[in-house]
Amino acid sequence: MSRTLVEAAAPQELRLADLKPRGRVNPSPATWRDQILYFLLPDRFSDGGEGGRTLFDRSNPSTFRKNDKKQWMAGGKIFQGGTIAGIKSKLDYLQNLGVTTLWIAPVCKQRKDLETYHGYGIQNFLEIDPRFGTRQELRDLVDAAHTKGMYVLLDIIYNHSGNNWFYNVGGRPKTTEKYRFAPPYPVHGWRSDTGSSIPISSISPSDLEDGVWPQEFQDLDWYTKAGEICKWDPEGWEEPLHPDNEFRRGDFSDLKDLNLNRSDVLNAVIKVYQYWIALSDCDGFRIDTVKHVSWEASRNFCGAIHEYAESIGKENFLLLGEVTGGADMARNYLEIFGRNLDAVLDIGEPPQKLAGMTKGFREPSDFFNQFAGHDSLGSHRETGRYHVSILDDHDMVGRGKNRFAANNPNLEQVAHAVGVQLTTLGIPCIYYGTEQAFDGKESYHDFSIEPRDSNGKIPFDDRYIRESMFGGTFGAFETENCHFFDENHPTYLRIAAIALIRNGDNKIGLALRRGRQYLRETSILGRPFNIPAREELVAWSRILFDQEVLIAVNTNGTAVRGADITVDGSLSPIGGQMTYLYRSDWADSQLHTPPTDQTVNIISNGSRATVKIDLPPAGMAILTHFPSN
């Protein structure tokens, strides 16, 4: 394959942005339901230098613990040094885990004077942050992923720009103001590369660190200038579609809101991200803060992006939205004849139900009823196309800043929470570090070092769920200078084994990716069949045509649980057997090459076909029936 060369310098004017693809165009997957996503923050994932550091020793965790807690906490608020080239160096690690698609947090250029390591405060919409690497390195990463049969999603922001200018308050610069509908607040000046305010008219082509770029975004009429959002949701009968709602017009904290009600602004943002498709050959976008953009603007943006992608040969370019505010809000942004979002992240309540069921804290029906049309997204979830399942993520909206593994030493239970994602309806997404049982949690905070802020909250609490995976000064588990790319970790091994089954190029894999889903009734100790309660063994089937795959999870983390489980007698007939494809208590060497002789009989239980399964604490099993002929 000839190397794709990307021009070294980004255009300073959007009108000069070339939308011609840079080299080969990788086609989209037939369906995104076949994919396993992996979400990472470039700054926290890898710098490619792990070969010069020691692997974290789980048996002796104190070895790498940083003695200076204050320095460790401070490290979580600043750039750690991860790079795009570092991500590329870990493609084998990700592919061995079973990942098929990378979702990469924003890589556009941030303000030089701010520690916006997360990527969500853009200063130059057409350039890569030099702390992450170069535009060529992004293209090289995408090409390398495509060579391995993997896809890449770029995280983008179309609601706002970074903290690139100051409000004018009595002649003094101020980062934020309280929201007001009208009139627009006056602007004091652009933010310079040192964080000072400079006159509006003073930016020149040599001042690429000052203000905002490309040049078109220096028109201050492109911003609402309405101050910071205080009311984050519509109230009562307030029309959420209305573009003048506060949560649609205000700044996202100190990130300045773009006025997408203006066609020239919306068209500019559209061209920005068409440019990134042409440059990088990425396969989709995860779109940030969608709720804060009107339905009409979202529809027009998505339609234009889909049209461009289709014009260059990407027929199924994914537009995945982050829509907070619940299922009712999310539903209205979803696909309308292919001209809106293709899927939304299951943030908020769904991951709480997933975690609660897996830990035995919530009834299994709470989780599975989501797929049965009992809420606004039920019918969408039933197809498995419209939602991306998450467990941990970088925001943990409405859940406290605590990963699933926080205060939870059961490494198999962490794996099997992901296992539930991999075997239920939807597109599963793994957050970096979950496969290593990262335990990021608010309780890592030391209030004697940093007291609560003026709102009584932990300052920069997001840091504790954004640990450094490659070393640095803010490693997971309060460590520094050790890495966590352990392919023999019990959690990694079990996720990889389950993913191997799901990714299989056979009817079993297809059933797990695309099949219908049925929560199974169970009987415990001869009692009547019923939907299982919490802390019991829960089971469900995925069925595609004539293939049934049965999944069972023990939601009790401390005790063995067993049950007689209902199966489909026409697909798994009485007198036959179901064969184990996965059991979590197998030896590590058996997980990827399972024994072929471990089976369970399908028996008659009244009018039912059933199998009896016993699992260790937090255990999981996957079985199927192989016809004899």
Side-chain angles (χ1 to χ4, degrees):
M1 181 192 72
S2 62
R3 187 168 184 263
T4 300
L5 293 178
V6 172
E7 57 273 23
Q12 295 180 22
E13 297 179 59
L14 184 58
R15 66 180 182 86
L16 300 177
D18 184 359
L19 300 188
K20 181 180 178 181
R22 315 301 199 271
R24 67 174 181 177
V25 174
N26 196 63
S28 309
T31 173
W32 286 93
R33 289 178 295 170
D34 289 345
Q35 304 306 308
I36 298 175
L37 277 56
Y38 185 95
F39 174 38
L40 60 88
L41 303 179
D43 178 63
R44 300 295 163 96
F45 184 63
S46 171
D47 66 352
E50 293 81 11
R53 304 185 192 99
T54 305
L55 179 67
F56 176 68
D57 184 356
R58 288 181 286 108
S59 65
N60 191 12
S62 63
T63 303
F64 298 99
R65 186 161 292 143
K66 190 171 179 66
N67 294 325
D68 191 328
K69 180 69 174 283
K70 182 177 181 179
Q71 285 187 5
W72 181 80
M73 289 170 58
K77 299 186 287 185
I78 62 175
F79 278 87
Q80 286 291 297
T83 63
I84 293 169
I87 300 170
K88 182 184 172 188
S89 75
K90 294 295 174 288
L91 289 180
D92 286 344
Y93 167 89
L94 294 170
Q95 191 164 56
N96 292 341
L97 181 63
V99 172
T100 63
T101 297
L102 279 67
W103 157 18
I104 301 172
V107 294
C108 284
K109 188 173 182 300
Q110 310 295 293
R111 294 217 57 84
K112 180 181 179 180
D113 56 304
L114 297 177
E115 295 286 350
T116 49
Y117 66 86
H118 46 71
Y120 291 98
I122 297 175
Q123 188 260 341
N124 190 330
F125 282 90
L126 299 182
E127 186 57 278
I128 294 285
D129 195 300
R131 288 165 287 202
F132 296 151
T134 66
R135 293 147 79 247
Q136 183 64 56
E137 286 173 325
L138 176 63
R139 177 71 198 219
D140 291 345
L141 166 61
V142 176
D143 283 348
H146 288 163
T147 298
K148 289 180 170 292
M150 303 169 77
Y151 300 96
V152 177
L153 305 181
L154 297 183
D155 205 319
I156 68 167
I157 305 102
Y158 66 172
N159 171 62
H160 54 258
S161 75
N163 180 11
N164 296 316
W165 48 262
F166 294 95
Y167 287 104
N168 190 335
V169 181
R172 300 188 310 276
K174 188 177 180 183
T175 298
T176 62
E177 278 279 35
K178 281 191 175 181
Y179 178 84
R180 74 181 185 196
F181 178 76
Y185 283 109
V187 173
H188 186 277
W190 295 112
R191 190 180 186 105
S192 76
D193 64 345
T194 61
S196 62
S197 179
I198 59 177
I200 294 300
S201 60
S202 67
I203 296 182
S204 72
S206 63
D207 296 326
L208 294 177
E209 301 294 341
D210 295 337
V212 62
W213 294 87
Q215 195 173 91
E216 288 84 348
F217 285 83
Q218 294 168 15
D219 184 344
L220 287 168
D221 288 336
W222 281 28
Y223 302 88
T224 55
K225 301 188 291 292
E228 182 179 356
I229 298 170
C230 297
K231 192 173 72 173
W232 291 86
D233 293 285
E235 296 179 358
W237 289 100
E238 183 180 359
E239 172 54 68
L241 175 60
H242 199 285
D244 289 339
N245 275 326
E246 177 178 333
F247 71 95
R248 294 237 166 86
R249 294 187 70 252
D251 297 338
F252 199 95
S253 185
D254 60 6
L255 306 175
K256 303 306 190 288
D257 186 69
L258 289 163
N259 187 0
L260 297 181
N261 296 327
R262 288 181 50 141
S263 60
D264 54 348
V265 182
L266 182 59
N267 289 337
V269 173
I270 288 169
K271 187 171 183 180
V272 162
Y273 292 114
Q274 290 171 338
Y275 171 81
W276 281 109
I277 299 171
L279 189 95
S280 70
D281 196 37
C282 65
D283 305 287
F285 291 145
R286 180 270 190 185
I287 307 174
D288 186 56
T289 55
V290 171
K291 181 184 78 173
H292 301 283
V293 173
S294 72
W295 296 341
E296 182 179 4
S298 173
R299 185 166 59 248
N300 290 335
F301 176 87
C302 294
I305 294 297
H306 277 137
E307 283 188 12
Y308 173 75
E310 289 167 6
S311 77
I312 63 171
K314 291 180 179 287
E315 297 291 335
N316 196 18
F317 191 86
L318 181 68
L319 295 179
L320 166 63
E322 178 214 36
V323 187
T324 56
D328 288 332
M329 182 71 76
R331 177 192 59 195
N332 294 302
Y333 286 96
L334 280 167
E335 179 181 301
I336 302 173
F337 306 116
R339 289 296 178 264
N340 217 323
L341 294 177
D342 301 301
V344 294
L345 290 168
D346 252 348
I347 53 182
E349 187 69 12
Q352 293 183 63
K353 292 179 177 181
L354 166 62
M357 179 191 75
T358 309
K359 291 180 176 179
F361 298 160
R362 298 181 71 149
E363 303 294 329
S365 56
D366 284 352
F367 174 75
F368 282 96
N369 280 348
Q370 296 175 109
F371 305 102
H374 293 295
D375 69 11
S376 297
L377 283 182
S379 60
H380 289 86
R381 286 194 180 96
E382 280 186 294
T383 69
R385 289 178 53 204
Y386 295 99
H387 72 108
V388 169
S389 168
I390 59 175
L391 178 68
D392 294 332
D393 71 277
H394 65 319
D395 288 330
M396 306 293 280
V397 173
R399 295 182 275 161
K401 308 301 181 179
N402 299 290
R403 286 181 180 257
F404 179 87
N407 307 307
N408 178 25
N410 193 322
L411 302 182
E412 290 191 13
Q413 192 174 72
V414 181
H416 298 146
V418 176
V420 174
Q421 292 180 271
L422 296 175
T423 57
T424 53
L425 283 163
I427 305 166
C429 180
I430 302 167
Y431 182 48
Y432 85 98
T434 296
E435 77 279 10
Q436 300 292 333
F438 278 13
D439 71 341
K441 52 196 172 186
E442 294 173 335
S443 59
Y444 275 132
H445 193 78
D446 187 332
F447 291 101
S448 68
I449 296 172
E450 289 185 43
R452 297 184 186 274
D453 64 20
S454 59
N455 296 313
K457 296 181 179 180
I458 298 173
F460 299 95
D461 54 357
D462 286 338
R463 78 185 102 166
Y464 299 112
I465 51 174
R466 300 175 181 179
E467 310 96 313
S468 176
M469 192 152 168
F470 63 89
T473 63
F474 192 68
F477 311 109
E478 297 187 84
T479 62
E480 66 174 344
N481 297 328
C482 62
H483 75 85
F484 297 88
F485 293 95
D486 182 2
E487 294 193 30
N488 292 311
H489 191 288
T491 303
Y492 180 102
L493 287 171
R494 282 157 180 78
I495 292 173
I498 298 167
L500 186 67
I501 301 169
R502 185 186 192 276
N503 290 338
D505 186 18
N506 52 37
K507 291 168 69 175
I508 295 168
L510 277 173
L512 286 175
R513 300 192 301 269
R514 308 187 196 179
R516 290 169 281 132
Q517 177 174 292
Y518 299 94
L519 176 61
R520 290 307 189 186
E521 291 189 334
T522 62
S523 172
I524 303 169
L525 300 175
R527 298 168 187 163
F529 280 86
N530 211 329
I531 299 300
R534 63 186 181 89
E535 296 190 271
E536 297 294 344
L537 188 145
V538 60
W540 60 98
S541 291
R542 298 295 301 275
I543 294 175
L544 186 69
F545 185 47
D546 60 353
Q547 184 75 54
E548 177 176 21
V549 181
L550 181 68
I551 305 99
V553 171
N554 180 1
T555 65
N556 192 308
T558 59
V560 174
R561 285 291 182 264
D564 295 305
I565 303 169
T566 304
V567 295
D568 188 315
S570 63
L571 303 179
S572 304
I574 293 168
Q577 293 180 323
M578 296 193 90
T579 299
Y580 281 99
L581 307 173
Y582 171 84
R583 271 192 71 103
S584 54
D585 52 356
W586 282 343
D588 291 350
S589 60
Q590 295 177 299
L591 292 173
H592 281 73
T593 54
T596 58
D597 59 346
Q598 293 202 15
T599 60
V600 59
N601 293 326
I602 306 168
I603 65 171
S604 174
N605 202 320
S607 61
R608 300 168 184 263
T610 65
V611 295
K612 182 172 179 56
I613 295 177
D614 296 285
L615 289 175
M620 183 174 183
I622 304 175
L623 309 88
T624 196
H625 169 68
F626 292 109
S628 57
N629 54 4

